[in-house]
Amino acid sequence: MTLRARLTILYTILMVGILLLFGVAVSLFFNDRVRSQLDQELASAATLVIENIRVDPFGTLVVADQILTSELPANLYVLVIGHSINEIYYSNLPFRPPLDPIGLRTLNTTVRDAQVGNLPLRVRTVPLAVSDRQVGTLQVGLSRDLVVDTQRILFSLTVAGMLIGSVVAALAVWLSTRQALAALSHATASALTITRADDLSHRIPYGGPADDEIGQLISAFNQTLSRLERLFTTQRRFVADVGHELRTPLTVIKGNANLMRRMGCGDEESLLGIEDEVDRLTRLVGDLLLLAQAESGKLILGRDAVELDSLVLDAMSQLRVLIQPGQHLRLEDVDQVLVIGDRDKLKQVLLNLISNAIKYAPGGEVIISLQKTETHASIRIRDTGPGIPPEDLPFIFERFYRADKSRSRSHGPKGFGLGLSIAYWIVHNHGGWIDVDSQIGQGTTFTVWLPLTEKDRRQPDSEQPA
Ligand code: ADP
């Protein structure tokens, strides 16, 4: 779930909660106030009525007539009874008495909510006693309609407020976070573009205030990019400088080894060992210089028409010397394909991939094919070697990465882990890509995809001119 959606939900829930609490608090407060006002009115009304009641010498209750003219509230219900509900001394009830049957059962003064039919009442029950002897009971009641109605209105208002409040809160948060978070999404998109383009010279643009949180985040990220760019530039320069510096001594060592052989100094085995190692180091220096140039943008690729079929045959015949006894290198399908690019560099891609296949599939088979699809040429190099472990596959195009370190370093063929990164860079800069499919124990297939020329794209099936 996005941060924006999470914030919207959180604030909406918060708003609903606050409104609910507010509604309940107002309702409780109002209820309490109205009840205590009703209770006060009932208490003073009961006092007024009691003042108009006397007990005759036979112990019978007599309600004076002026009760009708006294200052009682017009909507007050009054009931004066003797020992039972059948002994009614005074009643102005329009319904069957009593007002509150439960109140009648207690011996103390009570104030209670009661319900007569649909009429909600607040009823005060007062036992009437003469010299500690109860002679009757007075009940006065007032309608609770106002309380009930007001509670109903408050409930409706709270629900409506919650609905409106939640919609308003959700809209407000959703809209107000749009601008703030848009800057973050924009920064993320820019950061991804920089990563994909592998170009540390780019910076994330930000038009907002530099001292807000997002401005600070973007500025920190840009500073990191600057630092990384400086580090990479220094590293590249270092590699290029070291490469240049090593070239001359290596040529001198090789020349001297040759001279020693011609002069008959030193034994042949040692001289061959020296020459092998010098050749290896010369290749490493060449690869390092090529990568340094490529990454600094100084390597300019040619744009010639390259016949891939003849390039494949060329590379294969050059590598036949590496084939060991029992190993087979063969060509399967070959379409005639023309691409635009740098012939030497494309040949280097094929040399790196085919020599890897030969190197890692001793005693096995290496099969090459060249095919043309509607838009691309595909060169497939398949071997029946040991395969690449799945955990290494994502990294094999990285510089100096070797999947099986022990094998590559010690007994087996020696490599520096640069061949695939060079091949990747060259193909990538020709507008293509390299696929790899590998199964442990069954072999590895590298497929190089290169875009066809415009002419070839329009006529996918037509024959190429000889
Ligand atoms: P290296 O000089 O070590 O061959 P590469 O960049 O050419 O360097 O290859 C990187 C790693 O990928 C190699 O060390 C090897 O482990 C693995 N690899 C490349 N091609 C093959 C292959 N055809 N079969 C098995 N492993 C391979």
Side-chain angles (χ1 to χ4, degrees):
M1 196 189 286
T2 61
L3 178 62
R4 197 176 173 199
R6 281 212 303 272
L7 278 176
T8 307
I9 292 173
L10 179 74
Y11 281 103
T12 309
I13 291 174
L14 217 65
M15 179 62 115
V16 168
I18 290 171
L19 285 173
L20 186 68
L21 272 181
F22 184 72
V24 170
V26 168
S27 169
L28 287 177
F29 175 75
F30 183 83
N31 204 13
D32 189 58
R33 289 301 300 268
V34 174
R35 261 167 213 276
S36 59
Q37 198 174 334
L38 274 181
D39 291 353
Q40 269 178 22
E41 281 183 37
L42 286 173
S44 46
T47 314
L48 257 173
V49 173
I50 289 169
E51 280 171 7
N52 288 288
I53 299 175
R54 64 184 177 79
V55 185
D56 69 10
F58 306 105
T60 313
L61 294 174
V62 180
V63 182
D65 285 344
Q66 62 261 42
I67 190 172
L68 301 170
T69 57
S70 60
E71 310 241 314
L72 291 172
N75 56 349
L76 182 80
Y77 297 104
V78 183
L79 173 70
V80 183
I81 56 171
H83 289 290
S84 82
I85 192 69
N86 300 322
E87 270 181 74
I88 296 177
Y89 294 105
Y90 183 85
S91 167
N92 67 353
L93 311 186
F95 43 81
R96 268 166 56 88
L99 283 169
D100 172 20
I102 296 170
L104 279 184
R105 283 185 227 133
T106 64
L107 298 173
N108 302 316
T109 300
T110 59
V111 186
R112 289 174 22 83
D113 286 344
Q115 185 78 28
V116 180
N118 290 331
L119 187 64
L121 290 174
R122 188 82 178 148
V123 178
R124 186 179 181 90
T125 305
V126 186
L128 301 171
V130 176
S131 320
D132 287 343
R133 192 173 60 87
Q134 187 169 350
V135 288
T137 306
L138 164 70
Q139 279 195 328
V140 281
L142 280 170
S143 164
R144 275 189 300 117
D145 267 350
L146 182 63
V147 182
V148 174
D149 286 352
T150 313
Q151 271 182 336
R152 205 171 291 145
I153 290 168
L154 276 177
F155 176 75
S156 312
L157 281 178
T158 307
V159 171
M162 269 165 32
L163 283 178
I164 296 170
S166 55
V167 172
V168 171
L171 272 177
V173 178
W174 186 254
L175 295 177
S176 64
T177 48
R178 184 173 60 180
Q179 205 191 351
L181 295 179
L184 268 187
S185 318
H186 188 63
T188 312
S190 305
L192 285 175
T193 313
I194 292 170
T195 316
R196 264 187 233 118
D198 225 352
D199 185 354
L200 292 172
S201 65
H202 281 82
R203 296 290 172 269
I204 298 175
Y206 180 55
D211 56 350
D212 69 2
E213 285 83 349
I214 295 172
Q216 285 174 1
L217 174 75
I218 290 175
S219 149
F221 191 78
N222 282 340
Q223 281 172 26
T224 311
L225 282 178
S226 304
R227 213 173 138 65
L228 280 176
E229 189 190 8
R230 272 201 303 280
L231 278 174
F232 276 110
T233 312
T234 316
Q235 188 210 40
R236 240 179 255 144
R237 206 177 303 135
F238 173 77
V239 170
D241 290 350
V242 170
H244 276 298
E245 291 303 319
L246 283 177
R247 260 180 166 178
T248 319
L250 285 172
T251 320
V252 172
I253 294 173
K254 182 135 189 201
N256 284 343
N258 255 329
L259 195 64
M260 284 170 75
R261 178 177 292 118
R262 265 190 267 133
M263 291 171 68
C265 318
D267 68 301
E268 184 59 21
E269 201 179 326
S270 310
L271 287 174
L272 278 176
I274 292 174
E275 277 175 345
D276 266 4
E277 288 307 312
V278 170
D279 285 345
R280 213 166 88 79
L281 281 177
T282 310
R283 273 201 311 279
L284 170 66
V285 167
D287 284 354
L288 280 176
L289 280 176
L290 182 80
L291 270 180
Q293 277 181 319
E295 286 172 357
S296 61
K298 286 187 192 146
L299 189 71
I300 312 292
L301 291 173
R303 289 195 53 78
D304 310 314
V306 182
E307 286 173 1
L308 281 184
D309 38 321
S310 75
L311 198 70
V312 168
L313 292 173
D314 218 8
M316 281 178 72
S317 67
Q318 192 171 328
L319 290 171
R320 281 204 189 274
V321 286
L322 300 180
I323 302 286
Q324 294 155 22
Q327 200 173 28
H328 299 282
L329 171 66
R330 68 182 171 87
L331 193 61
E332 224 170 47
D333 309 309
V334 198
D335 289 349
Q336 285 189 323
V337 189
L338 203 65
V339 294
I340 297 295
D342 189 311
R343 192 174 199 282
D344 288 346
K345 297 288 174 290
L346 288 175
K347 187 172 168 188
Q348 185 163 1
V349 172
L350 295 182
L351 291 177
N352 288 0
L353 294 175
I354 300 172
S355 64
N356 268 353
I358 294 173
K359 189 161 65 171
Y360 293 111
E365 219 180 350
V366 178
I367 304 141
I368 320 284
S369 67
L370 167 63
Q371 279 170 330
K372 191 161 84 167
T373 68
E374 278 199 17
T375 52
H376 286 79
S378 77
I379 308 161
R380 184 162 300 144
I381 298 117
R382 183 153 55 90
D383 67 59
T384 53
I388 304 170
E391 65 273 17
D392 288 316
L393 269 182
F395 309 106
I396 54 169
F397 291 101
E398 284 179 12
R399 276 197 282 166
F400 296 109
Y401 193 87
R402 279 175 292 184
D404 185 345
K405 280 106 194 158
S406 56
R407 181 194 60 193
S408 327
R409 275 181 202 279
S410 48
H411 10 274
K414 293 171 192 160
F416 295 107
L418 287 176
L420 286 184
S421 33
I422 290 176
Y424 173 86
W425 187 90
I426 295 173
V427 172
H428 190 71
N429 279 275
H430 276 82
W433 70 94
I434 304 179
D435 279 342
V436 54
D437 177 30
S438 190
Q439 306 287 330
I440 289 290
Q442 290 180 24
T444 306
T445 305
F446 282 92
T447 312
V448 178
W449 295 90
L450 289 168
L452 294 177
T453 57
E454 279 300 313
K455 189 168 148 275
D456 270 13
R457 279 178 196 220
R458 267 181 257 124
Q459 304 157 342
D461 297 326
S462 67
E463 286 278 303
Q464 292 289 310

